[in-house]
C-alpha cells in the first residue's frame, strides 16, 4: 500500500515564490519513499484516489491536478478564475466519474478518461442561502449530500441530477464542518445514515429517509475537531479539540445500523395522522430520543493514550530519511552532473547532514523566547519581509540559548540568513542545518573569539602561498590580509558573491565532502579570480570585490577546489586540523563549548557588572531625577503661583483695557448708530421722494394713458362719424341715382305717352286748327296770363320750398351735430335714445309728409277729374254750337280767376307733393295736362326739370361742404383738450 502526503518546500533567496507543495508517495509496509510529485503552489487540502488505484486528484484553492500513479506524472490540470475558487474535486466511489465542486455552488461531473463533461447539477432553489462547503457521497455513488454555513442539508440524486430533499438541522446547528455517510452491511451501498459535524463540535447521525436523529457523539465541553468512519461502519475515530483521540463503537451507540433486511411479508396499516406528504421536498428533523454513548459508573469515557515510539519511527513519517542512500554514490552522481536534482536536493541534504529533527529540544529553545542580544535585530538588519525577520530572529535566539557564544557573535546573522531564506517554512530544519554547519564546517572558528579565526585564516594563507605565490605576494604588497580576502567569504558562506543557483550548487559539494572543502573553496575562489585581483591596487577595490558578485563560473571554482583537495600537501592540508563530519545527536543537541570560555565568561561577567552598574546608575539617576523632579515641581509651583499672580494682574489690566475698549466701542457704536439712523432717515426720505416721483410718474402715465384712450376714443368716434357720413353720402348718392333712374324711366314713359298723345293731339289739332284759329289769340292771351301767374306762383313756391328744405336740413344737421357733441360727453345709451328720438321724429315727419302727399294726391285726382269733366264739357260745348263759344270763354276766364285766387299756403304743399309724387300720377291727368299745353308749355316743363336737377346738384354740393366743415370742427376740438373738457 502507498501513502500520499503533501508538504511545503521553501525556495532560496532571489526567487519569486517562497514555497511549493511537494506530494510524496510512500510505501506503508517498508516505510520507504516511492516518488515525489510537485505542481501545486498553494497548500493541498484534498486528495482523492480512484477505486482502481491508478489515478489521484489533488485539490488546492486555485487548481486541481490529476496524477497518473503508474508514472507519477501529472495528466491534467484544472485552472479557474480566482473569483470562483474550488471547494473540492474527488472521484465517485466505484465509478469512473470525477465530481468538481466550486465556491459559486456549481457542480460538474466529468469522465475520468476523456475528461468530457457528463452533466451539471442545477442551481439550488432561489430561497436557499446556503453556500456549499462540505460534501459526501454514498458508496453506490447515487446520492450527494452538500452542506455549508447553514443548518440546511441538500440531498442530490446524481442519476436524475435533481434535488430531492432538503433536511433542516436543529436550530443549534449554524454551520456544517464535515459530512460522512455511515456504511451499512445490508444497504447495498445506498447509505441511509449521514454523520453531520457542526460548529459546536457535536457530530449528529441522521437517517436521510426518515429525518430521524439516531445518535450524536461529542459534547460542547469536549468538542470534536475531525472524525473518520471505518470502511465497514463499525467504528468512528474522532480527534477531540483537547488533542485526545476517541474511538466509538457504532453498535454500542445505536441498534438501527447493520440490521438484517425486514421479512418479505408485511401487513398494511393505516397511515398515522401526522405522516408527512410523500411529495414534500423539505423535511425537518424529528426531535426523538437521542442515543448517546454509554457512560461508565464514574461517568467517564474510557480513554486510551497512544504512547510515543521512543525510536522515532512513528515521528514525521513524511520527513523520514531513506537508509538506502550512499554517500559515495551521491558523490559520484555529484561529480557527474555538478549538482543534485532540484526536486531531491533538500531530501539529499537532510540525508547527508543526518538531521535528527529533535522537535522537543528545539521547542524548549524556542520557548525561551527572543534572546536579549537579538531583540533589536530589525535596526541592524532591516528586512522587508516580516515573516523572514521573525524566522531569522527565532533561529538566532535558539542558537544563542543553545550556546552563549552565539549571543556575541557579530557575523552569525550573515552566516544564518541564506539558510533561513531557504528553510523559512521549517524552522526546525533551518536550526539543525545551521547547527550542523557550525559544528562541522566552522571548526576552530571561535578559538580566538572575539577575533576572527586566525588559525583558519593562516591555514588558508599557507595553501594560497603553496599554490599561487604571486597572488599572495600581491596581497602582501597591497597590505591585504586574509581577513580581507578570506574572512568575508567564510562569515557569509559565499552568499554575497554567488547567486542562488551557484550557492546551491556549491553547497551540494560542500555538504558532500570533508569540512575542509569549504576552506579550499576560499582558496580556489581567489586563484580563479587572480586576473582581476592582480590588476587591483586599492584596498577599497579588494573590499568591494569580496563583498559583491563577480563574473566567475562556479563550475570552474568547484573543479579547482577538487584539484586543490588532491594536490595540497598533507602538512598544510586543512583536513589534518579539521575533524571528520559529526551529525547532531538525537533527542538532545550536543554541548557546544569550542570557544575560549574564560573570554566569554569574562565578557559575561563584564556584561553583568556593566548591567549592575547601569542598574545602580539608573537607580541613582532615578533618585536624582526624583529629587530634581521635586525641586522642579516646587519651582514649577512657585513659578506657577507667580505666573498666576502675574496672570491675575495682567487679567485685571486686561479687563480694564477691555472695559475702556468696550466703552470706546460703545461710543463708536453709538456714533455709528446715529450715522446709520441718519443714513436710514436720508434713505427713507430718498425712498419717499422716489415713491412720490414714482407715484407722480404713475399718475402722469395714467393721465397719458387716459388721454391716449380718449384720443383713441375720439378717433374711433370720428371714424364712426366719418363712416356714418360716408354711409349717408352713399345713401344720398344711391337715392340720387335711384331718382335719376326713376326720372329717366319716367321721361322714357312720358316720352312714349307724349308721342302717342301728341299724335292724338295733332289729329285733333289738325281737325280743329281751323276752328280754333280765330279764338287762338284770345285763348293765348288767357293762357299767357294764366302761365305768368302760374310761373310766379311756382317760382315763389319753389323758392319757399328750397328755403324750407334748406332750413330743415340745416336744423336737422345742427340738431344731429349737437346730439353728437352731447353724445361724446354722455353715455352711449343717451346717444342711442337721442338717435331713437330723432328716428321717431323723422318717422312722424315722414307720416306728415305722407299724409300731405296723400291729401295732395286726392286733390290732384279731384282736379284731374274736374279737368276731365271740363274738357268733356268743352268738347260738347264746341261740338254743340259756336254760339256758346263766347260764353264758354267768359266762363273759362272766371274759372281761371278763381283758380288764381287760392292761398299760397295751399299751393306750396300741393306743388311739393306734385314734385315728390310726380311719378305716381295717372296717365290720364298727365295726358290732360299735356293736351292743354301748347309748345310753350312743353318748353316750360323741360326748363322746370332742368331747374330741379340744378337745385338737386346744388343741394348735394352744399351737403358735402357742410359735412367737410363739421369734420374740420370736430378735428379742431380733438386737438384742444380744454375744449373737450368744457
Amino acid at each position: 500500500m502507498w501513502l500520499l502526503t503533501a508538504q511545503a518546500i521553501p525556495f532560496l533567496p532571489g526567487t519569486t515564490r517562497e514555497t511549493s507543495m511537494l506530494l510524496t508517495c510512500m510505501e506503508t509496509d517498508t516505510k520507504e519513499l516511492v516518488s515525489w510529485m510537485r505542481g501545486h503552489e498553494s497548500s493541498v487540502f484534498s486528495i482523492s484516489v480512484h477505486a482502481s488505484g491508478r489515478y489521484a486528484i489533488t485539490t488546492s484553492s486555485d487548481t486541481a491536478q490529476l496524477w497518473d500513479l503508474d508514472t507519477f506524472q501529472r495528466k491534467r490540470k484544472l485552472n479557474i478564475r480566482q473569483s470562483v475558487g474550488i471547494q473540492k474535486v474527488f472521484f465517485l466511489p466505484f465509478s469512473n466519474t470525477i465530481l468538481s465542486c466550486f465556491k459559486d455552488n456549481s457542480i460538474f461531473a466529468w469522465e475520468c478518461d476523456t475528461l468530457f463533461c457528463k452533466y451539471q447539477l442545477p442551481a439550488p432553489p432561489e430561497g436557499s442561502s446556503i453556500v456549499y462547503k462540505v460534501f459526501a457521497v454514498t458508496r453506490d455513488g447515487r446520492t450527494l449530500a452538500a452542506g455549508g454555513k447553514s443548518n440546511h442539508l441538500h440531498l442530490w440524486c446524481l442519476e436524475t441530477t435533481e434535488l430531492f430533499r432538503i433536511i433542516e438541522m436543529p436550530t443549534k446547528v449554524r454551520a456544517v464542518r464535515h459530512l460522512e455517510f455511515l456504511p451499512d452491511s445490508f444497504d447495498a451501498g445506498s447509505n441511509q445514515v449521514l454523520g453531520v459535524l457542526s460548529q459546536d463540535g457535536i457530530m449528529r447521525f441522521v437517517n436521510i429517509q426518515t429525518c430521524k436523529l439516531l445518535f450524536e457523539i461529542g459534547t460542547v465541553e469536549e468538542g470534536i475537531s475531525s472524525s473518520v468512519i471505518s470502511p465497514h461502519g463499525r467504528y468512528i475515530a474522532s480527534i477531540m479539540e483537547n488533542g485526545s483521540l476517541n474511538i466509538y463503537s457504532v453498535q454500542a451507540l445505536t441498534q438501527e445500523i447493520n440490521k438484517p433486511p425486514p421479512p418479505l411479508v408485511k401487513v398494511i396499516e393505516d397511515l398515522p395522522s401526522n405522516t408527512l406528504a410523500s411529495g414534500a421536498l423539505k423535511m425537518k428533523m424529528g426531535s426523538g430520543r437521542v442515543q448517546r454513548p454509554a457512560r461508565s459508573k464514574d461517568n467517564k469515557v474510557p480513554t486510551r493514550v497512544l504512547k510515543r515510539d521512543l525510536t522515532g519511527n512513528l515521528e514525521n513519517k513524511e520527513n523520514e530519511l531513506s537508509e538506502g542512500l550512499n554517500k559515495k554514490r551521491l558523490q559520484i552522481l555529484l561529480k557527474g552532473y555538478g549538482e543534485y536534482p532540484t526536486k531531491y536536493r533538500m531530501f539529499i541534504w537532510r540525508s547527508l547532514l543526518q538531521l535528527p529533527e529533535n522537535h522537543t529540544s528545539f521547542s524548549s529553545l524556542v520557548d525561551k523566547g527572543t534572546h536579549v542580544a537579538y531583540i533589536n535585530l530589525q535596526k541592524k538588519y532591516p528586512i522587508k519581509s516580516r515573516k523572514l525577520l521573525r524566522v531569522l530572529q527565532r533561529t538566532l535566539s535558539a542558537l544563542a540559548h543553545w550556546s552563549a557564544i552565539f549571543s556575541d557573535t557579530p557575523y552569525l546573522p550573515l552566516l544564518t540568513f541564506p539558510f533561513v531564506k531557504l528553510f523559512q517554512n521549517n524552522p526546525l530544519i533551518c536550526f539543525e542545518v545551521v547547527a550542523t554547519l557550525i559544528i562541522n564546517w566552522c571548526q576552530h572558528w571561535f578559538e580566538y573569539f572575539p577575533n576572527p579565526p586566525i588559525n583558519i585564516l593562516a591555514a588558508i594563507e599557507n595553501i594560497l602561498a603553496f599554490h599561487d605565490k604571486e597572488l599572495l605576494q600581491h596581497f602582501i604588497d597591497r597590505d591585504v590580509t586574509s581577513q580581507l580576502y578570506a574572512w568575508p567569504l567564510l562569515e557569509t558562506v559565499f552568499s554575497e558573491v554567488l547567486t542562488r543557483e551557484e550557492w546551491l550548487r556549491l553547497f551540494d559539494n560542500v555538504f558532500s565532502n570533508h569540512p575542509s572543502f569549504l576552506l579550499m573553496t576560499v582558496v580556489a575562489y581567489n586563484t580563479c579570480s587572480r586576473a582581476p585581483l592582480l590588476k587591483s591596487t586599492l584596498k577599497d577595490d579588494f573590499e568591494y570585490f569580496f563583498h559583491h558578485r563577480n563574473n566567475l563560473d562556479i563550475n570552474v571554482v568547484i573543479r579547482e577546489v577538487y584539484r586543490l583537495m588532491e594536490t595540497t600537501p598533507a602538512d598544510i592540508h586543512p583536513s589534518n586540523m579539521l575533524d571528520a563530519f559529526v551529525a547532531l545527536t538525537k533527542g538532545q543537541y550536543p554541548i557546544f563549548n569550542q570557544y575560549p570560555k574564560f573570554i566569554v565568561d569574562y565578557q559575561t561577567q563584564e556584561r553583568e557588572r556593566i548591567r549592575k552598574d547601569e542598574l545602580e546608575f539608573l537607580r541613582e539617576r532615578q533618585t536624582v531625577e526624583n529629587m530634581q523632579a521635586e525641586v522642579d515641581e516646587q519651582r514649577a509651583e512657585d513659578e506657577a503661583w507667580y505666573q498666576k499672580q502675574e496672570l491675575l494682574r495682567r487679567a485685571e489690566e486686561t479687563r480694564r483695557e477691555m472695559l475702556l475698549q468696550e466703552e470706546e466701542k460703545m461710543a463708536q457704536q453709538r456714533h455709528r448708530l446715529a450715522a446709520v439712523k441718519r443714513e436710514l432717515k436720508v434713505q427713507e426720505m430718498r425712498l419717499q421722494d422716489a415713491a412720490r416721483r414714482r407715484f407722480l410718474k404713475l399718475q402722469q402715465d395714467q393721465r397719458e394713458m387716459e388721454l391716449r384712450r380718449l384720443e383713441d376714443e375720439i378717433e374711433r368716434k370720428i371714424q364712426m362719424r366719418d363712416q356714418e357720413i360716408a354711409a349717408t353720402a352713399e345713401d344720398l348718392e344711391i337715392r340720387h341715382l335711384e331718382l335719376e333712374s326713376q326720372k329717366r324711366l319716367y321721361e322714357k314713359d312720358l316720352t312714349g305717352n307724349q308721342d302717342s298723345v301728341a299724335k292724338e293731339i295733332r289729329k285733333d289739332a289738325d281737325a280743329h286748327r281751323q276752328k280754333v284759329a280765330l279764338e287762338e289769340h284770345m285763348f293765348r292771351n288767357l293762357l299767357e296770363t294764366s302761365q305768368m301767374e302760374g310761373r310766379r306762383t311756382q317760382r315763389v313756391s319753389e323758392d319757399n320750398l328750397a328755403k324750407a328744405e334748406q332750413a330743415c336740413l340745416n336744423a336737422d344737421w345742427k340738431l344731429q351735430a349737437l346730439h353728437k357733441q352731447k353724445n361724446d360727453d354722455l353715455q352711449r345709451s343717451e346717444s342711442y335714445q337721442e338717435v331713437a328720438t330723432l328716428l321717431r321724429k323723422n318717422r312722424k315727419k315722414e307720416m306728415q309728409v305722407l299724409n300731405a302727399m296723400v291729401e295732395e294726391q286726392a286733390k290732384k285726382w279731384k282736379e284731374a277729374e274736374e279737368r276731365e269733366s271740363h274738357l268733356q264739357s268743352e268738347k260738347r260745348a264746341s261740338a254743340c254750337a259756336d254760339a256758346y263759344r263766347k260764353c264758354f270763354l267768359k266762363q273759362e276766364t272766371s274759372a281761371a280767376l278763381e283758380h288764381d285766387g287760392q292761398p299760397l299756403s295751399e299751393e306750396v304743399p300741393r306743388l311739393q307733393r306734385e314734385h315728390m309724387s310726380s311719378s305716381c300720377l295717372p296717365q290720364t291727368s298727365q295726358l290732360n295736362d299735356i293736351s292743354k299745353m301748347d309748345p310753350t308749355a312743353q318748353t316750360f316743363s323741360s326748363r322746370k326739370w332742368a331747374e330741379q336737377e340744378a337745385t338737386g346738384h346744388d343741394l348735394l354740393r352744399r351737403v358735402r361742404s357742410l359735412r367737410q366743415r363739421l369734420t374740420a370742427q370736430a378735428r379742431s376740438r380733438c386737438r384742444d383738450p380744454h375744449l373737450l373738457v368744457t
Side-chain angles (χ1 to χ4, degrees), residues 249-383:
S249 175
V250 177
Q251 294 296 332
L253 294 172
T254 181
Q255 301 299 327
E256 299 289 334
I257 308 299
N258 294 325
K259 280 186 177 182
L264 297 178
V265 180
K266 290 188 177 181
V267 179
I268 299 176
E269 296 178 357
D270 293 333
L271 289 175
S273 59
N274 58 352
T275 304
L276 296 176
S278 59
L281 177 63
K282 186 173 181 179
M283 301 181 67
K284 192 171 182 179
M285 281 183 43
S287 58
R289 183 179 177 182
V290 179
Q291 297 184 5
R292 295 183 179 274
R295 299 276 185 174
S296 59
K297 294 182 179 180
D298 54 355
N299 293 329
K300 293 184 178 179
V301 178
T303 305
R304 296 176 60 187
V305 180
L306 298 179
K307 296 182 180 180
R308 187 184 298 277
D309 191 356
L310 298 178
T311 60
N313 293 331
L314 296 178
E315 188 177 58
N316 295 324
K317 288 292 184 180
E318 69 276 6
N319 294 326
E320 184 179 355
L321 299 177
S322 176
E323 298 177 357
L325 295 179
N326 187 286
K327 188 174 182 178
K328 292 184 178 180
R329 292 181 180 177
L330 291 175
Q331 289 177 350
I332 295 173
L333 178 66
L334 182 62
K335 289 182 180 179
Y337 292 96
E339 60 179 341
Y340 292 128
T342 303
K343 62 180 180 178
Y344 300 118
R345 177 177 281 122
M346 299 299 106
F347 175 73
I348 295 173
W349 279 17
R350 292 164 65 181
S351 178
L352 291 173
L353 299 178
Q354 301 177 18
L355 303 180
E357 300 186 12
N358 299 325
H359 291 274
T360 306
S361 299
F362 178 72
S363 298
S364 63
L365 294 175
V366 173
D367 293 341
K368 293 180 180 180
T370 304
H371 198 274
V372 181
Y374 299 108
I375 291 178
N376 299 322
L377 183 66
Q378 172 68 21
K379 296 180 180 180
K380 189 174 181 179
Y381 299 100
I383 301 174

Side-chain angles (χ1 to χ4, degrees), residues 796-830:
V796 172
S797 64
E798 287 178 358
D799 291 338
N800 293 331
L801 180 61
K803 290 179 181 180
E805 288 179 356
Q806 184 66 34
C808 291
L809 289 174
N810 292 336
D812 292 338
W813 185 254
K814 290 180 181 179
L815 184 60
Q816 290 178 2
L818 180 61
H819 284 294
K820 288 180 181 180
Q821 289 177 1
K822 290 181 180 180
N823 190 24
D824 293 336
D825 299 332
L826 300 176
Q827 295 180 356
R828 294 178 63 87
S829 60
E830 296 178 357

Side-chain angles (χ1 to χ4, degrees), residues 177 197-203 217-227 238-246 248:
R177 293 164 48 189
L197 178 61
S198 58
Q199 86 288 344
D200 55 1
I202 300 175
M203 192 168 186
I217 58 176
T219 60
V220 177
E221 294 79 15
E222 296 179 4
I224 298 175
S225 177
S226 60
S227 181
S238 300
I239 299 177
M240 313 305 289
E241 292 178 352
N242 56 8
S244 61
L245 176 64
N246 291 353
Y248 301 89

Side-chain angles (χ1 to χ4, degrees), residues 676-734:
V676 170
K677 287 182 179 179
R678 287 193 299 272
E679 292 178 358
L680 289 176
K681 193 67 176 176
V682 172
Q683 188 174 3
E684 183 180 1
M685 294 175 65
R686 290 176 180 174
L687 291 176
Q688 291 178 356
D689 189 17
R692 184 180 60 80
R693 285 196 295 270
R694 191 181 302 110
F695 181 72
L696 293 176
K697 187 175 183 302
L698 180 61
Q699 288 183 346
Q700 184 178 359
D701 294 340
Q702 290 179 353
R703 291 178 180 175
E704 290 179 356
M705 290 176 64
E706 185 69 19
L707 289 176
R708 284 196 296 272
R709 187 181 64 79
L710 292 174
E711 290 178 358
D712 296 339
E713 185 69 18
I714 291 170
E715 290 180 358
R716 185 176 64 81
K717 291 180 179 180
I718 291 173
Q719 290 178 359
M720 292 175 62
R721 187 183 297 111
D722 293 341
Q723 292 176 0
E724 291 176 357
I725 294 172
T728 305
E730 290 177 356
D731 293 340
L732 292 175
E733 290 178 357
I734 291 171

Side-chain angles (χ1 to χ4, degrees), residues 130 145-146 150-155 163-170 176 181 192 194 196 206-212 281-286:
I130 184 174
S150 174
N151 64 341
H152 289 181
L153 298 176
H154 288 186
L155 298 179
L163 179 67
F164 70 94
R165 184 161 300 161
I166 298 177
I167 299 177
E168 182 178 356
M169 298 295 291
V176 179
F181 281 96
Q192 303 298 320
L194 177 63
V196 181
V206 185
N207 190 313
I208 62 175
Q209 296 296 333
T210 63
C211 292
K212 181 181 179 182
L281 177 63
K282 186 173 181 179
M283 301 181 67
K284 192 171 182 179
M285 281 183 43

Side-chain angles (χ1 to χ4, degrees), residues 753-763 930 938:
N753 294 328
Q754 286 179 356
D755 292 336
S756 60
V757 172
K759 290 180 180 180
E760 293 179 357
I761 291 173
R762 278 194 298 272
K763 290 180 180 180
I930 296 172
Q938 295 178 359

